[in-house]
Amino acid sequence: MDFRSLAAISSAKIVKLLNKRFGSGGTAAPGLVSLYLDKNLLKKLTDQLETTLLITGTNGKTTTSRIVGNFLEYKNIDYVHNRHGSNLERGLISAFVDKVGFLGNLTSKLGVFEVDEAALKTVITKTSPKTLTITNLFRDQLDRYGEIDNIKKIWLNVIANLGQEVTLVLNADDPTVAFLGKETKCKVIYFGLDDKKMSLEKPPSAVDSIKCPVCYSDLEYSAYFLSHQGIYKCSSCDFARPKTDIVAKDIKLEKNESELTLEDGKNLSFDLQAKLPGLYNVYNILAAYTTLKAADFELDIFPIILKEFKPVFGRNEKLFFEGRNIVVALAKNPTGFNEIIRTFLNEKEQTVLIAINDLIADGRDVSWLWDVEFEALANQENRYFVSGIRATDMALRLKYAGIKDFTTIEPLIDSLEAALDSIPQNDTLVIIPTYTAMLELKRIFEKKGISGHFWED
């Protein structure tokens, strides 16, 4: 590498060392500094990799990529991974810091990277992936992304420039994502659900994509699994849910885990168990398995990996503090929040802490709270604590949903302590934070000794 690149790498290593020394969780900072010194560093680093796997989509990127990473660790394969979820270009570069020497030599030959939806256009030109996995497309951070059609246009532009050497892994149940498979020269592998008992009784309120992506007529659904994901066909043209290559059947969802049968073609199936609750995690499991299949890995050990997999911090993570259970479930858009309600808030007399921030990483626009189905909770005897920068907005939303038992305490640490004090021993506190509130929680938990440092997760 040239002097500029070596200086960028050295600077990134120093920044990361300082972050650890002073207890910062700034996982993107090393990459941000190195990009200032060498704008082409990501390409120079990924050119040394033999295989690169990219994972993008609105929800599920972190959990999907972590499952893939755990599989590689079990196989003793050295790999680069932005495991803490920093998924812009600077975050990907930061992931290389511990793997690259001061002379630019890279020990790993495989990279697994989750990529921000809008950043994919830039990242993909610098990474030459073997596979590109797209999990789903929902409304998210409207102030930054706009409506989902904006992201769809970015993705269409991306896949139009990919060659046959790339394999697309697509969610067949999401109409917009499935449509991408019709617009590419790449090999395509589809995953989806084949279990109609998982269908919702009626269409959910937060449905983002119910028009045909070909002719814009209404889509007709025979099953709604999760938001607009389901079994569909166009009412006017021949667009329909594509034939799935990898499917989940016989799904059983418990409060703390999931069971399913994964079928890979006609002659191969796995019975899977995972400490990952919720139907959204069934999709993450399918996405991870299909990504590994597309990368030509033997998958006989996948059931073992999945059974041992632990949830990522903030993604349905379970903690224990002073005799009380804590569940942390990140919510960043209406679909995600509705699935948390469906998974965790289906019992009476629960204590719930909701922390809503509107910093850049959360999205400044919190109007999405009005698309969450809080009305479904109005008849339950739950107690709510509301905190965060936009605590009053959240409190107003609960009031209009008919929920009366809530306490607003804006500082998160004060709200957390009040919520924990309100519940007896062995009871459970469900915490639903936005992204930056989740990071603040992590710092609070570190100080209380509930969890380790961010970079140790």
Side-chain angles (χ1 to χ4, degrees), residues 42-141:
L42 180 60
K43 186 175 189 325
K44 293 174 183 177
L45 291 169
T46 56
D47 279 349
Q48 297 184 58
L49 297 174
E50 294 176 356
T51 304
T52 300
L53 314 179
L54 299 185
I55 299 165
T56 194
T58 308
N59 293 344
K61 298 184 291 291
T62 300
T63 298
T64 298
S65 62
R66 282 285 190 100
I67 296 173
V68 171
N70 280 26
F71 177 91
L72 298 174
E73 287 177 11
Y74 195 93
K75 300 278 281 186
N76 292 316
I77 297 172
D78 188 20
Y79 67 104
V80 185
H81 179 203
N82 55 335
R83 60 182 285 110
H84 298 118
S86 184
N87 53 31
L88 300 177
E89 184 176 357
R90 54 182 177 261
L92 272 65
I93 293 174
S94 295
F96 281 91
V97 172
D98 290 334
K99 301 289 187 178
V100 66
F102 282 98
L103 297 178
N105 53 307
L106 188 63
T107 58
S108 306
K109 294 301 179 183
L110 191 150
V112 179
F113 304 109
E114 66 162 277
V115 184
D116 174 87
E117 303 95 290
L120 181 64
K121 184 177 180 179
T122 299
V123 167
I124 205 161
T125 61
K126 300 179 179 181
T127 51
S128 302
K130 178 181 179 67
T131 68
L132 170 60
T133 300
I134 302 181
T135 59
N136 46 56
L137 181 56
F138 303 117
R139 273 180 300 157
D140 191 41
Q141 297 189 41

Side-chain angles (χ1 to χ4, degrees), residues 1-9 34 36-39 44:
M1 286 192 176
D2 55 36
F3 176 77
R4 180 184 294 273
S5 301
L6 297 179
I9 291 168
S34 62
Y36 179 78
L37 296 172
D38 186 351
K39 293 182 179 180
K44 293 174 183 177

Side-chain angles (χ1 to χ4, degrees), residues 7-19:
I9 291 168
S10 297
S11 299
K13 286 180 173 291
I14 292 170
V15 171
K16 184 164 186 177
L17 187 64
L18 291 173
N19 278 348

Side-chain angles (χ1 to χ4, degrees), residues 97-245:
V97 172
D98 290 334
K99 301 289 187 178
V100 66
F102 282 98
L103 297 178
N105 53 307
L106 188 63
T107 58
S108 306
K109 294 301 179 183
L110 191 150
V112 179
F113 304 109
E114 66 162 277
V115 184
D116 174 87
E117 303 95 290
L120 181 64
K121 184 177 180 179
T122 299
V123 167
I124 205 161
T125 61
K126 300 179 179 181
T127 51
S128 302
K130 178 181 179 67
T131 68
L132 170 60
T133 300
I134 302 181
T135 59
N136 46 56
L137 181 56
F138 303 117
R139 273 180 300 157
D140 191 41
Q141 297 189 41
L142 292 175
D143 56 308
R144 178 168 167 239
Y145 297 136
E147 291 292 343
I148 63 172
D149 280 349
N150 293 330
I151 299 299
K152 174 186 169 184
K153 290 175 183 176
I154 291 172
W155 288 353
L156 282 170
N157 181 265
V158 165
I159 66 170
N161 294 300
L162 295 179
Q164 296 179 351
E165 72 281 1
V166 181
T167 300
L168 279 183
V169 174
L170 302 179
N171 182 351
D173 296 351
D174 188 311
T176 305
V177 174
F179 171 70
L180 299 175
K182 300 171 67 72
E183 302 294 311
T184 181
K185 300 185 291 290
C186 302
K187 177 183 177 183
V188 181
I189 304 180
Y190 290 103
F191 64 87
L193 307 189
D194 183 15
D195 192 342
K196 284 198 173 183
K197 73 176 184 296
M198 289 293 109
S199 179
L200 297 166
E201 294 181 1
K202 61 180 181 179
S205 60
V207 178
D208 297 326
S209 179
I210 56 173
K211 296 291 185 180
C212 174
V214 177
C215 71
Y216 300 100
S217 299
D218 290 337
L219 291 174
E220 298 174 347
Y221 280 79
S222 59
Y224 282 98
F225 295 131
L226 191 162
S227 185
H228 55 262
Q229 293 182 184
I231 301 174
Y232 53 84
K233 65 178 181 178
C234 179
S235 59
S236 296
C237 72
D238 62 356
F239 177 75
R241 178 186 186 243
K243 183 179 182 298
T244 48
D245 302 287

